[in-house]
Amino acid sequence: MSQSRETILGRIRTALKDVPTAEKPEDVNVERAYLTSDPSPRADLIHQFIERVREYRAKVKTTTADDLPRAIAESCAAQGIQKLVVPADLPEGWAPAGLTLVREPGLTIDQLEHSDGVLTACALGIAQTGTVVLDSGPGQGRRAITLLPDYHLCVILEDQVVGLVPEAVTQLQTAAASPDRPITFISGPSATSDIELNRVEGVHGPRTLEVIVVKSPV
C-alpha cells in the first residue's frame, strides 16, 4: 500500500474512532435544511441553464423536435465532421446523412480517438450549475465514447432540465444504485490550468462541447 493511501486511511480511522461499531448510517439523523427544489418558472430555469452552459465556453442552441435532425446536421457540418461516433440506441432520425457513423458497442480506443466527434442524448441538465449529466441511459452509450472524441454534441430536452443539484441527485438514484451505470457530470469542455493559470482545453475529454436544447411542445 502506498504511503499516501495509508495516510488518508489513517485520517479516516482517526475521524471515525468514536463511532460505535454497530452504528448504521440510517441511525444518525442528518439535517437537510438546504433547498431541494427550485420554484422558479420553467422558462427561467431553461434560460439560466443555457446561460450557465455558455459561461463554460460551450456552444448552445435551441430547436424544436421537428427541426432537431436539421440542427444536428448543421452542427456537424460546421465542425467539419466526417466520422461520427453514436450509441447503438441513438434515437431514430438523429444521425445526419452523408457521414460515416461509428456505432457502439465494441469500439476500440483507437476508433474513438480517430473519430471526429460523438453525438449523444443525456440524462438531465442542472440550471444552477450549467451541468449536463450522463448516466449511461438511453441514447448515451458507455462513458468512454464521450471522453475520447474531441467534439461532443449533446441533445437535451427542456423537460430534462432541473433547477438544483439536489433535484438531479434525486433523479439519479436508480443509476447510482447500478454497478454498471457510471454517472458523468459535464460542465463545459474539458479544461485544466497549470500553476500559472494558463488554461488548456481537451486534456481530459472533448475540447469542444455543444448542447442542443429541444423546446417542449407548447
Side-chain angles (χ1 to χ4, degrees), residues 4-193:
S4 296
R5 182 178 180 185
E6 182 56 40
T7 299
I8 293 172
L9 291 176
R11 291 173 180 171
I12 294 174
R13 295 187 193 101
T14 300
L16 297 177
K17 65 181 180 180
D18 61 340
V19 178
T21 305
E23 183 179 284
K24 300 178 181 178
E26 56 268 22
D27 294 334
V28 180
N29 183 42
V30 179
E31 184 179 358
R32 303 187 187 278
Y34 51 79
L35 193 63
T36 58
S37 63
D38 191 330
S40 303
R42 288 296 302 169
D44 291 351
L45 292 180
I46 301 303
H47 176 75
Q48 182 184 45
F49 173 73
I50 291 173
E51 290 304 305
R52 293 285 167 84
V53 172
R54 284 177 175 154
E55 288 174 2
Y56 283 115
R57 301 187 186 182
K59 300 179 180 181
V60 189
K61 65 182 180 183
T62 61
T63 189
T64 63
D66 290 340
D67 284 341
L68 177 58
R70 179 183 58 79
I72 292 174
E74 289 178 350
S75 292
C76 289
Q79 292 292 324
I81 302 294
Q82 297 295 323
K83 186 182 295 184
L84 185 67
V85 173
V86 296
D89 59 349
L90 188 77
E92 187 69 26
W94 281 22
L99 301 183
T100 300
L101 299 182
V102 187
R103 287 189 178 272
E104 279 277 77
L107 298 179
T108 65
I109 291 177
D110 186 66
Q111 287 175 305
L112 293 174
E113 287 184 335
H114 287 85
S115 65
D116 297 323
V118 58
L119 167 64
T120 72
C122 69
L124 51 85
I126 307 173
Q128 180 186 39
T129 59
T131 301
V132 173
V133 183
L134 308 179
D135 67 356
S136 304
Q140 298 168 54
R142 60 190 171 106
R143 190 165 184 256
I145 72 171
T146 57
L147 293 179
L148 295 177
D150 201 47
Y151 170 71
H152 182 190
L153 178 57
C154 185
V155 176
I156 181 170
L157 310 181
E158 282 189 344
D159 290 344
Q160 292 179 297
V161 176
V162 299
L164 305 175
V165 172
E167 294 177 85
V169 171
T170 298
Q171 292 196 22
L172 292 167
Q173 290 302 306
T174 299
S178 175
D180 57 354
R181 290 185 62 181
I183 298 173
T184 307
F185 285 68
I186 304 172
S187 296
S190 169
T192 189
S193 297

